[in-house]
Amino acid sequence: MQFIETRGNDGVHPNEVSFSHAILSPIASFGGLYAPSGLPILGLAYLEAHRFSSYKVFCADLMRTLCIDIAPETIEAAVSLYDRFDDAAQPVPVIKVGEGIYVSELYHGPTRAFKDMALQPFGHIFSHLAQSRGEEYLILAATSGDTGPAALETFKNKPGVRVACLYPNNATSDVQRLQMVTEDGSNLKVIGIEGNFDDAQSALKALLGSESFKAKLKEKNILLSAANSVNFGRIIFQIVYHIYSYLELVRQGEINMGEKVYLNVPSGNFGNALGAYYAMRMGLPVQKIIIASNENDVLTRFISYGTYDLRDCSLIATTSPAMDILISSNIERVLFDLFGPQRTREMMHSLERERHYSLSAEEHELLQSIFVADFCTGDEGKSYIKRYFAQGYLMDPHTATCFKAQESCASEGSKTIIYSTAEWTKFSPTIASALTGALGIHDLEALEAIATEGKIAIPAMIKALFDKPIMHATVIDKADIESEILAFI
Ligand SMILES: *Cc1c(COP(=O)(O)O)cnc(C)c1O
């Protein structure tokens, strides 16, 4: 598989790059991204052949099928990291929660959110590439709360890489913040910034594009890369679980091979949904992809009306903070795939300059043949949490947004896979408030309240966070990020 640029080529960047190039240097011409130049069609025979494959076996085989320039033994070692999940034999359980509604639980990895699904194998591959080329990388990660812990966990003490992780201070849960600031790897730097996630992400994009910053790193023989979901090395591992979850429903006898299902994805930066899109393009039998949002409903409006519009629009802090995003970076790869590089560049430039772009009627129709969308308020989300808890299923506030979209978007009698992106432990104050009405309590108290209410145990690794020493106390202004990172280097 080769990669080309979503905004066309500037005559300086190479025309086409390999997978390893795309993950080590993820920024393409004109500030665009790398996307596959073509995708294989898997076909039902391929799915049939993997009907009984384990997650690891299927994942490694899909990587082979996608022909990426990574040695088989490196891929094997990368996918063996799924052994660190709760159940090595079943890292992604798929649970029936209602008539025709199945939840694919993507949060059973070391940091309890779905970011581990991709970052675990990605970290291994990245570090292996850096080492084998004798190179040293600084990896930047901007996080709304889940990418940070997962990136730190995967790169901790790995050779050839250092990580600088930016998180918005006061905008993550206690558990998320503690997962980051208690990390003790000597190659890790965690920095809180005054601002929201979009501020952290734009600071990261500015640094990635800054020639002077790169030059200063180069003096120290350090190259620059990013671990955000703009990196295709993450996207590729997010295709796997969509197909695997489908096969799991076939194995459970809930669907017939070839039967179409909805995939319902709680979306922020659109990495998870992009994985679903590629799976569909590769032939997974999908009716439509449902895009669930919170009060930051820019994706719902885009898919419903065809205009991506940030005018008169500012970020709202919600109870599903990992989805508090206005500029959803991975939409760009969908636009590129559907409408080509010229049009994508036009639209992205219009977004940067005028804060909006519109699809033509034909383009909009094409988009709607694939996606359908709705958004869910925090209160609506809490009512789904409460309702399903009463039936014995506990979910986090991000997952809850899918249940609203499910009611408005899925057709009668259809079947849907909902993706659960975080364990309840990461967003306990919201869940406790949904279940008991308690407001304004901190994570520790909320965890205990839910554990009592649900007669479940707080996982040991979450409890332990509250007693670990704080390793990273830095909280700074956006303007000081560059100097802070240079001081760490
Ligand atoms: C990152 C994240 C999301 C959003 O995923 P995208 O791939 O950015 O759309 C949703 N829920 C949780 C819990 C997350 O951590």
Side-chain angles (χ1 to χ4, degrees), residues 408-487:
S408 54
C409 299
S411 56
E412 224 21 60
S414 57
K415 288 172 184 152
T416 300
I417 303 172
I418 285 176
Y419 292 91
S420 182
T421 46
E423 186 177 65
W424 62 275
T425 53
K426 292 198 97 169
F427 303 97
S428 54
T430 299
I431 298 171
S433 123
L435 300 184
T436 69
L439 281 177
I441 58 175
H442 285 291
D443 284 37
L444 199 50
E445 207 182 325
L447 286 165
E448 277 157 8
I450 299 163
T452 308
E453 190 77 17
K455 299 179 184 65
I456 38 177
I458 304 169
M461 89 237 290
I462 297 289
K463 246 183 152 162
L465 284 173
F466 294 88
D467 300 320
K468 281 189 170 175
I470 305 290
M471 308 302 291
H472 307 269
T474 319
V475 178
I476 59 173
D477 198 74
K478 277 181 284 181
D480 303 327
I481 292 171
E482 180 168 344
S483 54
E484 188 70 34
I485 293 176
L486 289 170

Coordinates of all heavy atoms in Angstrom, one line a residue, residues 408-487:
S408 N -32.5 7.8 16.2 CA -32.9 8.6 15.1 C -32.4 8.2 13.8 O -33.0 8.5 12.7 CB -32.5 10.1 15.4 OG -31.1 10.1 15.7
C409 N -31.4 7.4 13.7 CA -30.7 7.1 12.4 C -30.9 5.7 11.9 O -30.8 5.5 10.7 CB -29.2 7.4 12.5 SG -28.8 9.1 12.9
A410 N -31.0 4.7 12.8 CA -31.0 3.3 12.3 C -32.4 2.9 11.9 O -33.4 3.4 12.5 CB -30.5 2.4 13.4
S411 N -32.5 2.2 10.8 CA -33.9 1.8 10.4 C -34.4 0.7 11.2 O -33.7 -0.1 11.8 CB -33.9 1.5 8.9 OG -32.9 0.5 8.6
E412 N -35.7 0.6 11.2 CA -36.5 -0.4 11.9 C -36.0 -1.8 11.6 O -35.7 -2.2 10.5 CB -37.9 -0.3 11.4 CG -39.2 -0.4 12.2 CD -39.2 0.0 13.7 OE1 -38.8 1.1 14.0 OE2 -39.6 -0.9 14.4
G413 N -35.8 -2.6 12.7 CA -35.4 -4.0 12.4 C -34.0 -4.3 12.0 O -33.6 -5.4 11.7
S414 N -33.2 -3.2 12.0 CA -31.8 -3.4 11.5 C -30.9 -3.8 12.7 O -31.4 -3.9 13.9 CB -31.3 -2.0 11.0 OG -31.4 -1.0 12.0
K415 N -29.7 -4.1 12.4 CA -28.7 -4.4 13.5 C -27.5 -3.4 13.5 O -27.1 -3.0 12.4 CB -28.2 -5.9 13.2 CG -29.3 -6.8 13.6 CD -29.0 -8.3 13.2 CE -30.2 -9.1 13.5 NZ -30.2 -10.3 12.7
T416 N -27.1 -3.1 14.7 CA -26.1 -2.1 14.8 C -24.9 -2.5 15.7 O -25.2 -3.1 16.8 CB -26.7 -0.8 15.4 OG1 -27.7 -0.3 14.5 CG2 -25.7 0.3 15.5
I417 N -23.7 -2.2 15.3 CA -22.6 -2.3 16.3 C -22.3 -0.9 16.8 O -21.9 0.0 16.0 CB -21.3 -2.9 15.6 CG1 -21.7 -4.2 15.0 CG2 -20.2 -3.0 16.6 CD1 -20.5 -4.8 14.1
I418 N -22.4 -0.7 18.1 CA -22.1 0.6 18.7 C -20.7 0.4 19.3 O -20.4 -0.7 19.9 CB -23.1 0.9 19.9 CG1 -24.4 1.4 19.2 CG2 -22.5 1.9 20.8 CD1 -25.5 1.7 20.2
Y419 N -19.8 1.4 19.1 CA -18.4 1.3 19.6 C -18.3 2.0 21.0 O -18.6 3.1 21.1 CB -17.5 1.8 18.6 CG -17.4 0.9 17.4 CD1 -18.3 1.2 16.3 CD2 -16.7 -0.2 17.4 CE1 -18.3 0.3 15.3 CE2 -16.7 -1.1 16.4 CZ -17.6 -0.9 15.3 OH -17.6 -1.8 14.3
S420 N -17.9 1.2 22.0 CA -17.7 1.8 23.3 C -16.3 2.1 23.4 O -15.4 1.3 23.3 CB -18.1 0.8 24.4 OG -18.0 1.4 25.6
T421 N -16.0 3.4 23.7 CA -14.7 4.0 23.6 C -14.0 4.2 24.9 O -12.8 4.5 24.9 CB -14.7 5.3 22.8 OG1 -15.7 6.1 23.3 CG2 -14.9 5.1 21.3
A422 N -14.7 4.1 26.0 CA -14.0 4.2 27.3 C -14.7 3.4 28.4 O -15.9 3.2 28.4 CB -14.0 5.7 27.7
E423 N -13.9 3.0 29.4 CA -14.4 2.3 30.6 C -15.1 3.3 31.5 O -14.7 4.5 31.5 CB -13.3 1.6 31.3 CG -13.7 0.7 32.5 CD -12.6 0.0 33.1 OE1 -11.7 0.7 33.7 OE2 -12.5 -1.2 33.0
W424 N -16.1 2.9 32.3 CA -16.8 3.8 33.2 C -15.8 4.5 34.2 O -16.1 5.6 34.6 CB -17.8 3.0 34.0 CG -17.3 1.9 34.8 CD1 -17.0 0.6 34.4 CD2 -17.0 2.0 36.2 NE1 -16.5 -0.1 35.5 CE2 -16.5 0.7 36.6 CE3 -17.0 3.0 37.2 CZ2 -16.1 0.4 37.9 CZ3 -16.6 2.7 38.5 CH2 -16.2 1.4 38.8
T425 N -14.7 3.9 34.5 CA -13.8 4.5 35.5 C -13.2 5.8 35.0 O -12.7 6.5 35.9 CB -12.6 3.5 35.7 OG1 -12.0 3.1 34.4 CG2 -13.1 2.2 36.4
K426 N -13.2 6.1 33.7 CA -12.5 7.3 33.3 C -13.4 8.5 33.4 O -12.9 9.7 33.4 CB -12.0 7.1 31.8 CG -10.9 6.1 31.7 CD -10.1 6.3 30.4 CE -8.9 7.1 30.6 NZ -8.0 7.0 29.4
F427 N -14.7 8.3 33.5 CA -15.6 9.5 33.5 C -16.6 9.3 34.7 O -17.8 9.5 34.5 CB -16.3 9.6 32.2 CG -15.3 9.8 31.1 CD1 -14.9 8.8 30.3 CD2 -14.7 11.1 30.9 CE1 -13.9 8.9 29.3 CE2 -13.7 11.3 29.9 CZ -13.3 10.2 29.1
S428 N -16.1 8.9 35.8 CA -17.0 8.5 36.9 C -17.9 9.6 37.4 O -19.1 9.3 37.8 CB -16.2 7.8 38.0 OG -15.2 8.7 38.4
P429 N -17.5 10.9 37.5 CA -18.4 11.9 38.1 C -19.7 12.0 37.3 O -20.8 12.1 37.9 CB -17.6 13.2 38.1 CG -16.1 12.7 38.2 CD -16.1 11.5 37.4
T430 N -19.6 12.0 36.0 CA -20.8 12.1 35.1 C -21.7 10.8 35.3 O -22.9 11.0 35.4 CB -20.4 12.2 33.7 OG1 -19.6 13.4 33.5 CG2 -21.6 12.2 32.8
I431 N -21.0 9.7 35.4 CA -21.8 8.5 35.5 C -22.5 8.4 36.9 O -23.7 8.1 37.0 CB -21.0 7.2 35.3 CG1 -20.4 7.3 33.9 CG2 -21.7 5.9 35.6 CD1 -19.4 6.2 33.6
A432 N -21.8 8.8 37.9 CA -22.3 8.8 39.3 C -23.5 9.8 39.3 O -24.6 9.5 39.9 CB -21.3 9.3 40.3
S433 N -23.4 10.9 38.6 CA -24.5 11.9 38.6 C -25.7 11.3 37.9 O -26.8 11.5 38.3 CB -24.0 13.2 38.1 OG -24.7 13.6 37.0
A434 N -25.4 10.5 36.8 CA -26.5 9.9 36.1 C -27.3 8.9 37.0 O -28.5 8.8 36.9 CB -26.0 9.2 34.8
L435 N -26.5 8.1 37.8 CA -27.1 7.0 38.5 C -27.7 7.5 39.9 O -28.7 6.9 40.3 CB -26.0 5.9 38.8 CG -25.4 5.3 37.5 CD1 -24.4 4.2 37.9 CD2 -26.4 4.8 36.6
T436 N -27.0 8.4 40.5 CA -27.5 8.7 41.9 C -27.9 10.2 42.0 O -28.4 10.6 43.1 CB -26.3 8.5 42.9 OG1 -25.3 9.5 42.7 CG2 -25.7 7.1 42.8
G437 N -27.6 11.0 41.0 CA -28.0 12.4 41.1 C -26.9 13.3 41.8 O -27.0 14.5 41.8
A438 N -25.9 12.6 42.3 CA -24.8 13.4 43.0 C -24.1 14.3 42.0 O -23.7 13.9 40.9 CB -23.8 12.4 43.6
L439 N -24.0 15.6 42.4 CA -23.3 16.5 41.5 C -22.0 17.1 42.2 O -21.9 17.2 43.4 CB -24.3 17.7 41.3 CG -25.3 17.5 40.2 CD1 -26.2 18.7 40.1 CD2 -24.8 17.1 38.9
G440 N -21.1 17.4 41.3 CA -19.8 18.1 41.8 C -18.9 17.2 42.6 O -18.1 17.7 43.4
I441 N -19.0 15.9 42.5 CA -18.1 15.1 43.3 C -16.9 14.7 42.5 O -16.9 14.8 41.2 CB -18.7 13.8 43.9 CG1 -19.3 12.9 42.8 CG2 -19.8 14.1 44.9 CD1 -19.9 11.6 43.2
H442 N -15.8 14.4 43.2 CA -14.5 14.1 42.5 C -14.5 12.6 42.1 O -15.3 11.8 42.5 CB -13.3 14.5 43.3 CG -13.1 16.0 43.3 ND1 -12.7 16.6 42.2 CD2 -13.3 16.9 44.3 CE1 -12.6 17.9 42.5 NE2 -13.0 18.1 43.8
D443 N -13.5 12.3 41.2 CA -13.4 10.9 40.7 C -13.5 9.9 41.8 O -14.2 8.9 41.6 CB -12.2 10.8 39.9 CG -12.3 11.4 38.5 OD1 -12.9 12.5 38.4 OD2 -11.8 10.9 37.5
L444 N -12.6 10.0 42.8 CA -12.5 9.0 43.8 C -13.8 8.6 44.5 O -14.2 7.5 44.6 CB -11.4 9.3 44.9 CG -10.9 8.2 45.7 CD1 -10.4 7.1 44.8 CD2 -9.7 8.7 46.5
E445 N -14.5 9.7 44.9 CA -15.8 9.5 45.5 C -16.8 8.9 44.5 O -17.6 8.0 44.9 CB -16.3 10.9 45.9 CG -17.3 10.9 47.1 CD -17.7 12.4 47.4 OE1 -16.9 13.3 47.2 OE2 -18.9 12.5 47.7
A446 N -16.8 9.4 43.3 CA -17.7 8.9 42.2 C -17.4 7.4 41.9 O -18.4 6.6 41.8 CB -17.5 9.7 41.0
L447 N -16.2 7.0 41.8 CA -15.8 5.6 41.6 C -16.4 4.7 42.6 O -17.0 3.7 42.4 CB -14.3 5.5 41.5 CG -13.6 6.0 40.3 CD1 -12.1 6.1 40.6 CD2 -13.8 5.1 39.1
E448 N -16.3 5.2 43.9 CA -16.8 4.4 45.0 C -18.3 4.3 45.0 O -18.9 3.3 45.2 CB -16.3 4.9 46.4 CG -14.9 4.4 46.6 CD -14.1 5.2 47.6 OE1 -14.6 6.2 48.2 OE2 -12.9 4.9 47.7
A449 N -19.0 5.5 44.6 CA -20.4 5.5 44.5 C -20.9 4.5 43.5 O -21.9 3.7 43.7 CB -20.9 6.9 44.2
I450 N -20.3 4.5 42.3 CA -20.7 3.6 41.2 C -20.4 2.1 41.6 O -21.2 1.2 41.4 CB -20.0 3.9 39.9 CG1 -20.3 5.4 39.5 CG2 -20.4 3.0 38.8 CD1 -19.3 5.9 38.5
A451 N -19.2 1.9 42.2 CA -18.9 0.5 42.6 C -19.9 0.0 43.6 O -20.3 -1.2 43.5 CB -17.5 0.5 43.2
T452 N -20.4 0.8 44.5 CA -21.4 0.4 45.5 C -22.7 0.1 44.8 O -23.3 -0.9 45.0 CB -21.6 1.5 46.6 OG1 -20.3 1.8 47.1 CG2 -22.5 1.0 47.7
E453 N -23.1 1.1 44.0 CA -24.4 1.1 43.3 C -24.5 -0.2 42.4 O -25.5 -0.8 42.3 CB -24.6 2.4 42.5 CG -25.9 2.6 41.9 CD -26.9 3.1 42.9 OE1 -26.6 3.6 44.0 OE2 -28.1 3.0 42.5
G454 N -23.4 -0.4 41.7 CA -23.4 -1.5 40.7 C -22.8 -2.8 41.2 O -22.8 -3.8 40.4
K455 N -22.4 -2.8 42.5 CA -21.8 -4.0 43.0 C -20.6 -4.5 42.1 O -20.6 -5.7 41.8 CB -22.8 -5.1 43.3 CG -23.9 -4.7 44.3 CD -24.9 -5.8 44.5 CE -26.1 -5.3 45.4 NZ -26.9 -4.2 44.8
I456 N -19.8 -3.6 41.7 CA -18.6 -3.9 40.9 C -17.4 -3.4 41.6 O -17.4 -2.5 42.4 CB -18.7 -3.3 39.5 CG1 -19.3 -1.9 39.6 CG2 -19.5 -4.2 38.6 CD1 -19.3 -1.2 38.2
A457 N -16.2 -4.0 41.2 CA -15.0 -3.5 41.8 C -14.3 -2.4 41.0 O -14.4 -2.4 39.8 CB -14.0 -4.7 41.9
I458 N -13.7 -1.5 41.7 CA -12.9 -0.5 41.0 C -11.6 -1.2 40.6 O -10.9 -1.8 41.4 CB -12.5 0.7 41.9 CG1 -13.8 1.3 42.4 CG2 -11.7 1.8 41.1 CD1 -13.6 2.4 43.5
P459 N -11.2 -1.2 39.3 CA -10.0 -1.9 38.9 C -8.8 -1.4 39.6 O -8.7 -0.2 39.9 CB -9.9 -1.6 37.4 CG -11.2 -1.2 36.9 CD -11.9 -0.6 38.1
A460 N -7.9 -2.3 40.0 CA -6.8 -2.0 40.9 C -5.9 -0.9 40.3 O -5.4 0.0 41.0 CB -5.9 -3.2 41.1
M461 N -5.7 -0.9 38.9 CA -4.8 0.1 38.3 C -5.4 1.5 38.4 O -4.6 2.4 38.4 CB -4.5 -0.3 36.8 CG -5.5 0.2 35.9 SD -6.4 -1.0 34.8 CE -5.2 -1.6 33.7
I462 N -6.7 1.6 38.5 CA -7.3 2.9 38.6 C -7.2 3.4 40.0 O -6.8 4.5 40.3 CB -8.8 2.8 38.2 CG1 -9.0 2.4 36.7 CG2 -9.6 4.1 38.5 CD1 -8.6 3.5 35.7
K463 N -7.4 2.5 41.0 CA -7.3 2.9 42.4 C -5.9 3.3 42.7 O -5.7 4.3 43.4 CB -7.7 1.7 43.2 CG -9.0 1.9 44.0 CD -9.2 0.7 44.9 CE -10.0 1.2 46.1 NZ -10.7 0.0 46.8
A464 N -4.9 2.6 42.2 CA -3.5 2.9 42.5 C -3.1 4.3 42.0 O -2.2 4.9 42.6 CB -2.6 1.8 41.8
L465 N -3.8 4.8 41.0 CA -3.4 6.1 40.5 C -3.4 7.2 41.5 O -2.6 8.1 41.5 CB -4.4 6.6 39.4 CG -4.3 5.9 38.0 CD1 -5.4 6.4 37.1 CD2 -2.9 6.3 37.4
F466 N -4.3 7.1 42.5 CA -4.5 8.2 43.5 C -3.4 8.2 44.5 O -3.3 9.1 45.3 CB -5.9 8.0 44.1 CG -7.0 8.3 43.2 CD1 -7.6 7.2 42.4 CD2 -7.5 9.6 43.0 CE1 -8.6 7.5 41.5 CE2 -8.5 9.8 42.1 CZ -9.1 8.8 41.3
D467 N -2.6 7.1 44.6 CA -1.5 7.1 45.5 C -0.1 7.3 44.9 O 0.9 7.3 45.6 CB -1.5 5.8 46.3 CG -2.8 5.6 47.1 OD1 -3.3 6.7 47.6 OD2 -3.4 4.5 47.1
K468 N -0.1 7.4 43.6 CA 1.2 7.5 42.9 C 1.8 8.9 43.0 O 1.0 9.9 43.0 CB 1.1 7.1 41.4 CG 1.0 5.7 41.1 CD 1.1 5.5 39.6 CE 1.3 4.1 39.1 NZ 1.2 4.1 37.7
P469 N 3.1 9.0 43.1 CA 3.7 10.4 43.1 C 3.5 11.1 41.7 O 3.5 10.5 40.7 CB 5.2 10.1 43.3 CG 5.4 8.7 43.0 CD 4.1 8.0 43.1
I470 N 3.3 12.4 41.8 CA 3.1 13.3 40.6 C 4.5 13.5 40.0 O 5.4 14.1 40.7 CB 2.5 14.6 41.0 CG1 1.2 14.4 41.7 CG2 2.3 15.5 39.8 CD1 0.0 13.9 40.9
M471 N 4.7 13.2 38.8 CA 6.0 13.3 38.1 C 6.1 14.6 37.3 O 7.1 15.1 36.9 CB 6.3 12.1 37.2 CG 6.2 10.8 37.9 SD 7.3 10.6 39.4 CE 8.9 10.6 38.6
H472 N 4.9 15.1 36.8 CA 4.8 16.2 35.9 C 3.8 17.3 36.4 O 2.6 17.1 36.3 CB 4.4 15.8 34.5 CG 5.2 14.6 34.0 ND1 6.3 14.8 33.2 CD2 5.0 13.3 34.1 CE1 6.8 13.6 32.9 NE2 6.0 12.7 33.4
A473 N 4.4 18.3 37.0 CA 3.5 19.3 37.6 C 3.3 20.5 36.7 O 2.5 21.5 37.0 CB 4.0 19.8 39.0
T474 N 4.0 20.6 35.5 CA 4.0 21.7 34.7 C 2.7 22.1 34.1 O 2.1 21.3 33.4 CB 5.0 21.5 33.5 OG1 6.2 20.8 34.0 CG2 5.4 22.8 32.8
V475 N 2.2 23.3 34.3 CA 1.1 23.9 33.6 C 1.5 25.3 33.1 O 1.9 26.1 33.9 CB -0.2 24.0 34.5 CG1 -1.3 24.6 33.7 CG2 -0.6 22.7 35.0
I476 N 1.4 25.5 31.8 CA 2.0 26.7 31.2 C 1.0 27.4 30.2 O 0.0 26.8 29.8 CB 3.3 26.5 30.5 CG1 3.1 25.4 29.4 CG2 4.4 26.0 31.5 CD1 4.4 25.3 28.5
D477 N 1.4 28.6 29.8 CA 0.6 29.3 28.8 C 1.0 28.7 27.4 O 2.1 28.3 27.2 CB 1.0 30.8 28.9 CG 0.0 31.6 28.2 OD1 -1.1 31.8 28.7 OD2 0.3 32.1 27.0
K478 N 0.1 28.8 26.5 CA 0.4 28.3 25.1 C 1.7 28.8 24.5 O 2.4 28.1 23.8 CB -0.8 28.7 24.2 CG -2.0 27.8 24.2 CD -3.0 28.3 23.2 CE -3.8 29.5 23.7 NZ -4.8 30.0 22.8
A479 N 1.9 30.1 24.8 CA 3.1 30.8 24.2 C 4.4 30.2 24.6 O 5.4 30.3 24.0 CB 3.0 32.3 24.6
D480 N 4.4 29.4 25.8 CA 5.6 28.9 26.3 C 5.9 27.5 26.0 O 6.9 26.9 26.5 CB 5.6 29.1 27.8 CG 5.5 30.5 28.2 OD1 5.9 31.4 27.5 OD2 4.8 30.8 29.3
I481 N 5.0 26.9 25.1 CA 5.2 25.4 24.9 C 6.5 25.1 24.2 O 7.2 24.2 24.7 CB 4.0 24.9 23.9 CG1 2.7 25.0 24.7 CG2 4.2 23.5 23.5 CD1 1.5 24.8 23.8
E482 N 6.9 25.9 23.2 CA 8.1 25.6 22.5 C 9.3 25.6 23.4 O 10.1 24.6 23.4 CB 8.3 26.5 21.3 CG 9.6 26.2 20.5 CD 9.7 27.0 19.2 OE1 8.6 27.5 18.7 OE2 10.8 27.0 18.7
S483 N 9.4 26.6 24.2 CA 10.6 26.7 25.0 C 10.6 25.6 26.1 O 11.7 25.0 26.5 CB 10.7 28.1 25.7 OG 9.6 28.4 26.4
E484 N 9.4 25.2 26.6 CA 9.3 24.2 27.6 C 9.8 22.8 27.0 O 10.5 22.1 27.6 CB 7.8 24.0 28.0 CG 7.6 23.1 29.2 CD 8.1 23.6 30.5 OE1 8.1 24.8 30.7 OE2 8.6 22.8 31.3
I485 N 9.4 22.6 25.7 CA 9.8 21.3 25.1 C 11.3 21.3 24.8 O 12.0 20.3 25.0 CB 9.0 21.1 23.8 CG1 7.5 20.8 24.1 CG2 9.5 19.9 23.0 CD1 6.6 20.7 22.9
L486 N 11.8 22.4 24.4 CA 13.2 22.5 24.1 C 14.1 22.3 25.3 O 15.1 21.7 25.3 CB 13.6 23.8 23.4 CG 13.1 23.9 21.9 CD1 13.3 25.3 21.4 CD2 13.8 22.9 21.0
A487 N 13.5 22.8 26.5 CA 14.3 22.6 27.7 C 14.3 21.1 28.1 O 15.3 20.6 28.6 CB 13.6 23.4 28.8

